[in-house]
């Protein structure tokens, strides 16, 4: 597993690197956003540890660019920041970060977050049925989701790994109401211990790619006070 660390505080970057390399991970360091973006394209890392406040290109913009044009590996992104307000966490997650760690943090907490993220990729595997509804075909083995609306030509959806997994679990049982905690356990893993609002931010991102009109969801419905469900009526 290769990890790219993008952090402008050299002491923190060195601490993160030594913590991860001591556990057997291969790490690369850089200290500004533009260099980090280029390294991400070249290295194709499994995980990016990304500071929020960076010179030349800040972490939010860097994260957004990576998610707009996903890399071949579509890495997990763990955002580091000194900001702890809820709105900052929500903004960070809404740009496509998978988890959020506030400074100061302990090496033990860092390792727990990293292992939890990387274990998700190891859970994938084995032949999985293709899910089909009136408007969608989702092939888990090919990691491909196709939308076909009315007389429009089929459209392959540009989903991140997390968005794909979220849609897959919603589509696996159309009409079922999923609580946030259930989706977190299925998609993020039982060892995730972050804010359950992460579900809301990623549902909002998924709707932008799945729904013809995200402001009036047709497929991914909110069940107020409970969670979400997938519906696709002909």
């Amino acid at each position: 597993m290769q990890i790219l660390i993008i952090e402008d505080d050299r002491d923190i970057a060195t601490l993160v690197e030594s913590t991860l390399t001591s556990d057997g991970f291969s790490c690369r360091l850089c200290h500004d956003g533009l260099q980090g973006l280029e390294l991400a394209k070249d290295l194709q890392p499994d995980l990016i540890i990304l500071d929020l406040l960076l010179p030349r290109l800040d972490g939010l913009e860097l994260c957004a660019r990576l998610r707009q044009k996903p890399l071949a590996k579509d890495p997990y992104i763990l955002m580091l920041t000194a900001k702890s307000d809820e709105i900052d966490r929500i903004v960070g997650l809404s740009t496509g970060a998978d988890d959020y760690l506030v400074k100061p943090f302990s090496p033990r907490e860092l390792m727990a977050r990293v292992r939890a993220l990387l274990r998700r990729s190891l859970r994938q595997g084995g032949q999985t049925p293709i899910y089909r509804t009136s408007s969608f075909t989702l092939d888990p083995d090919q990691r491909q989701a196709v939308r076909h609306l009315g007389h429009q030509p089929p459209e392959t959806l540009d989903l991140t790994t997390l968005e794909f997994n979220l849609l897959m679990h919603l589509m696996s049982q159309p009409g079922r109401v999923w609580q946030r905690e259930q989706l977190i356990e299925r998609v993020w893993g039982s060892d995730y211990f972050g804010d359950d609002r992460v579900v809301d931010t990623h549902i909002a991102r998924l709707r932008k790619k799945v729904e013809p009109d995200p402001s009036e969801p047709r497929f991914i419905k909110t069940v107020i006070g409970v969670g979400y469900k997938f519906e696709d009526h002909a």
Side-chain angles (χ1 to χ4, degrees), residues 52 96 110 119 133 182-183 190 221 228:
L52 184 60
L110 171 67
R119 270 198 293 269
T133 67
Q182 292 172 324
L183 288 171
S190 58
K221 302 291 188 66
Y228 299 95

Side-chain angles (χ1 to χ4, degrees), residues 82-103:
K83 296 185 177 182
S84 58
D85 291 343
E86 182 181 36
I87 189 62
D88 293 314
R89 294 199 297 273
I90 293 171
V91 170
L93 293 169
S94 69
T95 60
D98 297 289
D99 201 358
Y100 195 102
L101 187 57
V102 178
K103 303 173 187 175

Side-chain angles (χ1 to χ4, degrees), residues 67 74 76 96-99 117 120 143 159-169 187-188 198-199 202-203 206:
R67 293 314 193 203
D74 190 18
Y76 291 110
D98 297 289
D99 201 358
L117 286 170
R120 294 180 206 167
R143 308 301 288 175
L159 304 179
T160 68
T161 299
L162 195 146
E163 290 164 353
F164 185 94
N165 292 341
L166 186 55
L167 180 60
M168 178 176 67
H169 284 292
V187 179
W188 281 262
V198 68
V199 176
H202 281 84
I203 286 286
L206 182 59

Side-chain angles (χ1 to χ4, degrees), residues 15 17 20 22-23 78 97 115 128-129 193:
L15 172 64
E17 181 186 33
L20 296 173
S22 68
D23 206 55
L78 173 61
R115 290 191 188 111
T128 311
F193 50 88

Side-chain angles (χ1 to χ4, degrees), residues 19-57:
T19 299
L20 296 173
T21 54
S22 68
D23 206 55
F25 293 104
S26 174
C27 298
R28 285 286 300 273
L29 282 179
C30 69
H31 305 293
D32 74 72
L34 284 179
Q35 182 190 12
L37 183 61
E38 293 307 311
L39 271 176
K41 294 175 182 177
D42 292 341
L43 295 175
Q44 297 290 326
D46 299 280
L47 170 69
I48 297 175
I49 296 179
L50 178 62
D51 187 31
L52 184 60
L53 301 177
L54 292 167
R56 298 211 292 168
L57 184 68

